[in-house]
Amino acid sequence: MRRLQDLPLLLLALLLALPVLAILASWLQWNAESAQILREMGSTVLAGYALTSVGLCLAVAVGVAVVGTAAAAAVTLFEFPGRRTLEWALLLPLAIPAYVVAYAYTDFLQFSGPLQSWLRSQFGLEGRVFPEVRTVGGATLVFIFSLYPYVYLLARAALAERAAHLMEAARLLGAPLGRRIRRVALPLARPAVAAGVALALMETLADYGVVSYFGIQTFTTGIYKAWLAMDNRIAAAQLATLLLALVAVLLALEHRAQRKLRFAGDRGAQSGSAEAQPVALAGGARVAAWLVCTVPIVVGFVLPVLFMLRPLAADWSVLPWDRFVQWGFNSLRLGAISAVLAVALALALAFSLRRAPDAVTRGVVRLASLGYAVPGAVIVVGLLLPVGWLQQAAPSSQVGYWVTATAVGIVWAYLVRFVSVALQSMQSGYARIPASFDDSARMLGTAGFALLARVHWPLLKRSAAAAGLLVFVDVMKELPATLVLRPFDSDTLAVVAYQLARDERLGEAALPSLALVLVGLIPVVLLSRTLRGPGERKA
């Protein structure tokens, strides 16, 4: 009987894991055409894809680690004017998708952009004044200043919880400031930095907008080339397994770092004094701390927003105001539908795990979470692959129509990727509900779904709202899956921003790009309110 109860949950998990499982199963459908394509790519461009992807990831890893850790240490360990404002302002780049940042800088810094044109006219310069923006180096800077908040968030939490009182103890023992930072603060933050770097690299590998717009040949662009240009889904799926393997390695590193972080937190929380205060800075040290915190905000948020506001202020008539409402409605509709379904599915999974936390249920929940951190390009290939198999087996089937010509396919892809985001929030909410509540309810005759409706749901409303908001914003910004699976004449803000930028109509791309920024600001504002501890809020 228990296994029959698990059957709907297992079917749900298989539905969410189907794209990833189909990618892995593509190696079972080996054929001469796909083998020939992979051999040709292996002898020509595959090594370039690998070197570019690895080189980009290494550069981004170093950059986000340095910028994020330095900013976290500055606002946590030191006291200087503006620290309280900067600690939440450092989250603002999270509100802007990386591809929007790329469009903004390209529009302003390119050869025909306003800055180079002004310099040539004012100083009589000829030719290009600045290096080309659309390069691997330019993409690296875009990713660094867009993704460093992942490292900043985790490193700041680690330092705020444990570093202050240990640094105070080291000071009382006579250690100078530099040694306290090197020997106490940075080792404590190392697991958090590793976890944040892994998350940033997963976003880098999953990106399609920046690398496609800059013309950089990575695994993601190679997947689309094998699929769309060479018209071979099997070769695209087999190439996607290489990207999936890289993501799996990063995910394992992130989980390992999180385990170390929790262990360090348990050890560090047992000692110390809550009265330890940040070190007050003066003179050059104060200016350096202020620059460490303000430069990432200016480069990652302020300048891109100003660059996008420029065409709005220059000429409102060139902007597609009439179609903007339709694009916004499509984005809001897909975001709302996906958010509601993701929260419902996450609630069902979390409730099943709460009711029966055995090995079978945990395995099913992990299976449903396989889409976590999987790039949108991989999900799209994995989703259309079984649809193609089914169409070949049953040509009269309407599955292909429902997946590719309606919103079913795109919502399915969103759920595969973002149900895990909602599930994490719901599990956090369940962690705050004592198990004794369930026992008391059962003693009073409330069990099954009545327990969920009458006891759990009233306590999970805030977690459900947070989960829905996170999924909604992620869906609004998602580009690769939306670009391929959207129904006809159902462009979203993300797709339109990409298409206008690709057509070099960067001024018109400013309007949908700014709309995405405004939507992204909502979770950033909510997240900034949770950054300060009780003591800081009182202050």
Side-chain angles (χ1 to χ4, degrees):
M1 181 64 67
R2 174 63 207 287
R3 291 298 173 258
L4 292 177
Q5 294 176 355
D6 288 336
L7 184 59
L9 188 66
L10 179 60
L11 293 176
L12 172 62
L14 289 174
L15 189 66
L16 294 175
L18 180 62
V20 179
L21 299 177
I23 290 291
L24 299 177
S26 65
W27 289 97
L28 301 176
Q29 197 179 358
W30 185 267
N31 56 53
E33 183 181 357
S34 63
Q36 178 65 23
I37 290 176
L38 289 179
R39 279 196 298 269
E40 291 180 358
M41 295 182 71
S43 61
T44 54
V45 297
L46 197 57
Y49 292 160
L51 289 176
T52 303
S53 298
V54 172
L56 183 63
C57 285
L58 290 176
V60 171
V62 174
V64 296
V66 171
V67 175
T69 305
V75 300
T76 306
L77 305 179
F78 304 107
E79 180 62 53
F80 54 92
R83 179 178 72 91
R84 298 298 178 88
T85 301
L86 291 171
E87 68 181 5
W88 64 262
L90 282 162
L91 296 173
L92 289 175
L94 280 178
I96 308 185
Y99 54 85
V100 171
V101 177
Y103 306 157
Y105 275 105
T106 301
D107 180 39
F108 192 76
L109 298 178
Q110 63 183 343
F111 179 79
S112 59
L115 181 59
Q116 294 202 53
S117 299
W118 180 80
L119 290 175
R120 288 194 297 269
S121 64
Q122 291 295 318
F123 300 99
L125 302 176
E126 296 182 359
R128 179 176 295 278
V129 181
F130 292 108
E132 173 61 46
V133 178
R134 287 185 275 193
T135 62
V136 176
T140 300
L141 292 176
V142 168
F143 284 127
I144 288 173
F145 289 102
S146 298
L147 302 176
Y148 79 85
Y150 287 107
V151 177
Y152 166 75
L153 266 174
L154 296 176
R156 184 192 180 280
L159 293 174
E161 290 173 2
R162 299 179 297 277
H165 59 264
L166 293 178
M167 286 190 64
E168 178 67 13
R171 185 189 68 82
L172 294 175
L173 292 174
L177 178 60
R179 187 176 181 184
R180 298 201 299 271
I181 295 174
R182 292 192 308 270
R183 301 295 296 274
V184 177
L186 294 183
L188 282 174
R190 190 177 299 144
V193 172
V197 168
L199 291 173
L201 293 185
M202 282 188 275
E203 291 292 333
T204 302
L205 289 174
D207 176 80
Y208 177 74
V210 176
V211 295
S212 174
Y213 181 61
F214 279 13
I216 300 172
Q217 302 301 310
T218 63
F219 271 119
T220 304
T221 55
I223 292 170
Y224 277 99
K225 185 177 295 185
W227 177 22
L228 300 177
M230 302 179 184
D231 195 25
N232 193 298
R233 294 181 181 178
I234 300 297
Q238 292 167 348
L239 186 61
T241 56
L242 301 178
L243 182 58
L244 198 60
L246 290 177
V247 172
V249 171
L250 291 173
L251 194 58
L253 293 176
E254 192 266 342
H255 285 168
R256 182 180 178 184
Q258 288 285 6
R259 286 196 300 269
K260 289 184 177 180
L261 183 60
R262 287 193 293 268
F263 175 75
D266 294 339
R267 291 283 301 272
Q270 296 173 1
S271 61
S273 171
E275 297 180 358
Q277 298 296 323
V279 178
L281 297 179
R286 177 184 294 179
V287 174
W290 193 77
L291 290 175
V292 164
C293 296
T294 54
V295 169
I297 300 170
V298 171
V299 176
F301 181 81
V302 176
L303 289 180
V305 170
L306 291 178
F307 294 160
M308 287 185 290
L309 286 173
R310 182 185 59 84
L312 293 179
D315 188 1
W316 290 66
S317 62
V318 303
L319 299 174
W321 293 102
D322 53 339
R323 301 191 62 189
F324 176 76
V325 176
Q326 180 183 357
W327 301 332
F329 174 75
N330 291 333
S331 298
L332 293 173
R333 177 173 58 90
L334 290 174
I337 294 173
S338 302
V340 171
L341 292 177
V343 171
L345 295 177
L347 181 59
L349 292 169
F351 175 68
S352 298
L353 190 60
R354 170 82 170 203
R355 185 174 56 177
D358 52 27
V360 174
T361 308
R362 286 196 298 268
V364 170
V365 172
R366 290 195 186 100
L367 183 64
S369 302
L370 281 179
Y372 171 68
V374 175
V378 175
I379 290 177
V380 169
V381 175
L383 192 63
L384 293 181
L385 204 59
V387 171
W389 294 338
L390 187 59
Q391 287 287 96
Q392 292 177 358
S396 60
S397 172
Q398 296 293 315
V399 175
Y401 166 78
W402 286 105
V403 172
T404 59
T406 68
V408 172
I410 184 62
V411 172
W412 188 0
Y414 290 150
L415 294 177
V416 169
R417 187 165 190 204
F418 300 128
V419 157
S420 181
V421 176
L423 181 60
Q424 290 177 1
S425 181
M426 299 307 296
Q427 287 180 318
S428 298
Y430 263 118
R432 294 190 293 268
I433 302 177
S436 60
F437 284 19
D438 297 17
D439 298 333
S440 300
R442 292 190 184 98
M443 291 176 63
L444 295 173
T446 302
F449 287 102
L451 176 65
L452 173 63
R454 299 178 61 182
V455 179
H456 294 170
W457 175 248
L459 300 173
L460 290 173
K461 287 183 178 179
R462 294 186 63 182
S463 297
L469 179 62
L470 291 174
V471 173
F472 176 81
V473 174
D474 283 337
V475 167
M476 291 281 289
K477 297 191 294 185
E478 169 64 27
L479 178 61
T482 312
L483 192 63
V484 177
L485 292 174
R486 72 193 189 280
F488 176 74
D489 199 25
S490 296
D491 290 336
T492 64
L493 293 172
V495 170
V496 168
Y498 169 79
Q499 291 177 335
L500 292 175
R502 184 188 59 186
D503 296 339
E504 299 301 326
R505 297 159 64 185
L506 293 171
E508 297 176 57
L511 183 61
S513 298
L514 280 172
L516 292 175
V517 174
L518 291 176
V519 172
L521 279 174
I522 299 173
V524 170
V525 171
L526 296 178
L527 183 60
S528 67
R529 295 178 60 184
T530 67
L531 270 180
R532 295 182 181 178
E536 291 176 298
R537 280 194 286 265
K538 291 178 182 179

